[in-house]
Amino acid sequence: MFELLEELKAWAASGRPFAVASVVSTTGSAPRPAGAALAVSADGEAIGSVSGGCVEGAVYELCLEVAAGGVPVRQTFGYGDDDAFAVGLTCGGIIEVLVWPSPRFLQPVRQGERVAVARAFGDAADAIVVWPDRHEGDMGDDDLDAVVVAETRAMLEAGLTGVREIGCGERRVELFVESHTPPPRMLVFGAIDFAAALTRAGRLLGYHVTVCDARPVFATRRRFPDAHEVVVDWPHRYLAATEVDSRTVIAVLTHDAKFDVPLLEVALRTGAAYVGAMGSRRTHRDRMRRLREQGLTEEELGTLRSPIGLDLGARTPEETAVSIVAEIVAARRGGSGVPLSKSDGPIHTFTNDRLSGARAPAGS
């Protein structure tokens, strides 16, 4: 829902009735994860998506009903053995959708901040908005509110979205908790044409992209208009001082030992989700030798993806950027990188329980 925030706040500010359908749980080969949302105004405008098309029409009609009637609706959509062409997910998955009328908790929420919303099933008014240091809203019971806030904050810290059942005394409540965290970072080192193409691809995938190079003549905003940040600094020095977490991806495109080696010495010890380095196989072998001389262990070196990217036969900067982000996506989602036509496993691999990891603006 958070990706629709600004549009929904504009609808609410104008007094426009609407309803929001959120995916609250998924099973099997569901096309979109928990937290995906479709919003429909009472006059029929739609934004967002809950299924990538499979059940969009049916959910749209539910939203119109809820927008007009004001009563939340909970419904499950899945593959039907008797009629694969009936309303359902012919890809084989199951999604559970909850449709709420015009949520009242939107106003204090700001785009890009760390925040989670806990909503009670069956009551459009029961919602608590939780930030790392405060909260707003209530469930009508102080003791229950304290438990809900604590559980929701724990899910926010872990970046989780999903269903939780919480009890306090004799009262139990089923909640849908949706967490929103800032987009993951992509750190691109080396202000070259390949970096410009990778910056565009990274931004498309929802990363907050930073380009860093020690050469001010190359590291300019004009050369990298798609980057969120362009930094002039020695790469290893900048990386040592900037924030890196378990979602951060690092692409080293300089293929110059005086930059690469000290940079990778830092990068391979950050705990980043992905560290890749550009260069030929000969460059790779020389780079590994130098890194070993600097004391990096085989375990640390084993996390380096070099030469960077998947084997797509790429030649141009744009094709190379596609091969790099393809490897990043495969590493992030656990994909094999082989053509889907050559495999027979599930296409989507969302978890089958009712609590899923944070999605990406994507990022993701």
Side-chain angles (χ1 to χ4, degrees), residues 19-286:
V20 179
S22 295
V23 176
V24 297
S25 68
T26 67
T27 302
S29 188
R32 300 209 66 201
L38 169 71
V40 179
S41 65
D43 57 7
E45 183 178 355
I47 54 175
S49 172
V50 293
S51 72
C54 300
V55 297
E56 223 75 359
V59 177
Y60 176 88
E61 295 298 330
L62 276 180
C63 286
L64 286 176
E65 293 175 13
V66 173
V71 178
V73 173
R74 184 178 183 179
Q75 190 157 331
T76 299
F77 296 91
Y79 180 81
D81 292 326
D82 295 333
D83 185 1
F85 295 98
V87 172
L89 293 164
T90 54
C91 56
I94 297 172
I95 64 171
E96 184 180 16
V97 174
L98 188 62
V99 186
W100 276 279
S102 310
R104 304 175 186 179
F105 51 77
L106 294 172
Q107 199 54 45
V109 179
R110 298 289 177 265
Q111 193 75 43
E113 66 183 350
R114 291 183 63 203
V115 64
V117 175
R119 288 174 278 179
F121 285 83
D123 194 326
D126 283 355
I128 296 181
V129 184
V130 178
W131 292 267
D133 58 350
R134 69 190 193 282
H135 70 274
E136 291 187 15
D138 63 80
M139 300 282 172
D141 182 304
D142 290 345
D143 292 336
L144 179 63
D145 289 347
V147 177
V148 170
V149 169
E151 291 285 342
T152 301
R153 184 163 288 132
M155 291 182 69
L156 174 60
E157 290 172 355
L160 295 174
T161 288
V163 176
R164 277 284 175 89
E165 185 173 332
I166 294 175
C168 183
E170 295 183 355
R171 185 177 176 188
R172 303 193 69 81
V173 60
E174 191 174 19
L175 302 172
F176 173 55
V177 178
E178 185 174 0
S179 296
H180 175 69
T181 57
R185 300 189 71 191
M186 174 181 283
L187 305 178
V188 181
F189 294 97
I192 61 176
D193 51 355
F194 290 93
L198 180 57
T199 297
R200 292 192 293 272
R203 186 157 189 158
L204 178 65
L205 291 182
Y207 285 94
H208 183 281
V209 184
T210 299
V211 175
C212 176
D213 197 296
R215 302 165 296 178
V217 68
F218 295 116
T220 65
R221 171 60 63 185
R222 183 173 182 178
R223 296 188 72 229
F224 297 96
D226 295 301
H228 296 89
E229 298 175 289
V230 179
V231 176
V232 178
D233 199 351
W234 279 87
H236 71 283
R237 183 168 62 191
Y238 172 75
L239 182 58
T242 196
E243 181 180 354
V244 174
D245 62 24
S246 60
R247 302 182 302 154
T248 302
V249 300
I250 299 172
V252 179
L253 308 184
T254 49
H255 51 83
D256 183 332
K258 69 176 179 290
F259 293 114
D260 289 1
V261 174
L263 173 58
L264 288 170
E265 187 178 353
V266 177
L268 293 172
R269 291 169 171 163
T270 60
Y274 173 96
V275 179
M278 180 177 279
S280 66
R281 298 197 183 278
R282 179 178 178 181
T283 298
H284 168 71
R285 290 191 294 269
D286 179 67

Side-chain angles (χ1 to χ4, degrees), residues 259-327:
F259 293 114
D260 289 1
V261 174
L263 173 58
L264 288 170
E265 187 178 353
V266 177
L268 293 172
R269 291 169 171 163
T270 60
Y274 173 96
V275 179
M278 180 177 279
S280 66
R281 298 197 183 278
R282 179 178 178 181
T283 298
H284 168 71
R285 290 191 294 269
D286 179 67
R287 181 189 291 138
M288 294 290 277
R289 177 184 61 80
R290 291 171 183 265
L291 289 170
R292 289 187 179 96
E293 290 173 354
Q294 294 301 312
L296 272 78
T297 66
E298 293 304 312
E299 182 178 1
E300 291 168 334
L301 293 173
T303 64
L304 175 61
R305 295 176 182 266
S306 173
I308 196 170
L310 297 184
D311 181 10
L312 304 182
R315 291 291 183 271
T316 67
E318 291 74 20
E319 290 173 347
T320 302
V322 170
S323 79
I324 294 171
V325 295
E327 185 177 44

